[in-house]
């Protein structure tokens, strides 16, 4: 996947971007299964890609494919990505497209390998994701700097009860 642009953009023609997204959909079906990819593409509001459910760990390469197509999933409200061996690289790929996922209210990234820089990348986009009210990051490798970034953004991004 080297050289893949995450989330489109970057100067290619619309035709090239469209072909890139179509290829990402096809490749993603190979990672998550054609049934799940069809469901996601068909306007699903919830998708469970927990590795315990799918039987496959997506890793950063799979998450990069997912990030390429997520902006087209305009009805998606809940995304489950637990136990997929997602690192800071995959978290950054998701962070790049989260602001385009305007309906997403819940993102579950528990039990991955996300560290401080991935947490910071996610934290930085929270103000651009007003619908996102639940972000699960437990059982990752997030240290003090990631927690501080998340806590600082939490105060400005989420309504307090």
């Amino acid at each position: 996947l080297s050289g893949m642009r995450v989330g489109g953009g970057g100067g290619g023609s619309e035709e090239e971007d469209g072909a890139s997204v179509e290829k990402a959909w096809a490749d993603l079906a190979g990672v998550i299964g054609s049934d799940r990819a069809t469901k996601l593409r068909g306007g699903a509001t919830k998708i469970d890609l927990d590795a315990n459910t799918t039987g496959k760990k997506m890793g950063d390469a799979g998450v990069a494919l997912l990030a390429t197509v997520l902006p087209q999933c305009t009805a998606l409200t809940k995304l489950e990505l637990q136990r997929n061996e997602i690192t800071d690289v995959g978290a950054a790929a998701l962070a790049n497209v989260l602001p385009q996922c305007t309906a997403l209210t819940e993102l579950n990234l528990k039990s991955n390998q996300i560290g401080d820089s991935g947490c910071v990348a996610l934290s930085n986009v929270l103000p651009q994701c007003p619908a996102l009210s639940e972000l699960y990051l437990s059982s990752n490798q997030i240290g003090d700097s990631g927690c501080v970034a998340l806590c600082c953004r939490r105060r400005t991004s989420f309504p307090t009860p």
Side-chain angles (χ1 to χ4, degrees):
L1 292 177
S2 63
M4 175 180 277
R5 288 179 293 151
V6 175
S13 71
E14 284 185 38
E15 187 174 305
E16 288 170 344
D17 288 345
S20 171
V21 171
E22 284 303 313
K23 180 170 179 2
W25 275 114
D27 292 346
L28 183 63
V31 174
I32 66 172
S34 59
D35 290 348
R36 283 185 182 84
T38 300
K39 180 180 175 185
L40 183 61
R41 193 169 194 177
T45 59
K46 299 175 184 177
I47 191 80
D48 185 356
L49 300 177
D50 179 337
N52 283 355
T53 304
T54 65
K56 293 183 180 180
K57 295 183 180 184
M58 295 177 69
D60 293 332
V63 170
L65 292 169
L66 180 64
T68 301
V69 303
L70 270 179
Q72 293 186 342
C73 304
T74 57
L76 190 64
T77 60
K78 182 177 180 180
L79 180 57
E80 303 274 346
L81 291 169
Q82 306 94 292
R83 294 174 275 277
N84 273 291
E85 298 182 351
I86 300 167
T87 70
D88 292 336
V89 172
L94 284 172
N96 284 336
V97 298
L98 281 179
Q100 298 171 59
C101 302
T102 57
L104 192 65
T105 60
E106 183 178 335
L107 176 58
N108 192 333
L109 292 166
K110 291 191 283 189
S111 301
N112 281 290
Q113 299 168 3
I114 299 169
D116 288 333
S117 66
C119 187
V120 169
L122 291 165
S123 298
N124 286 340
V125 299
L126 289 178
Q128 300 163 51
C129 304
L132 187 63
S133 59
E134 298 177 52
L135 175 61
Y136 298 97
L137 291 166
S138 64
S139 299
N140 276 285
Q141 299 170 356
I142 300 167
D144 292 345
S145 63
C147 288
V148 167
L150 189 58
C151 289
C152 289
R153 290 294 182 194
R154 196 272 181 225
R155 278 186 269 155
T156 61
S157 301
F158 299 119
T160 50

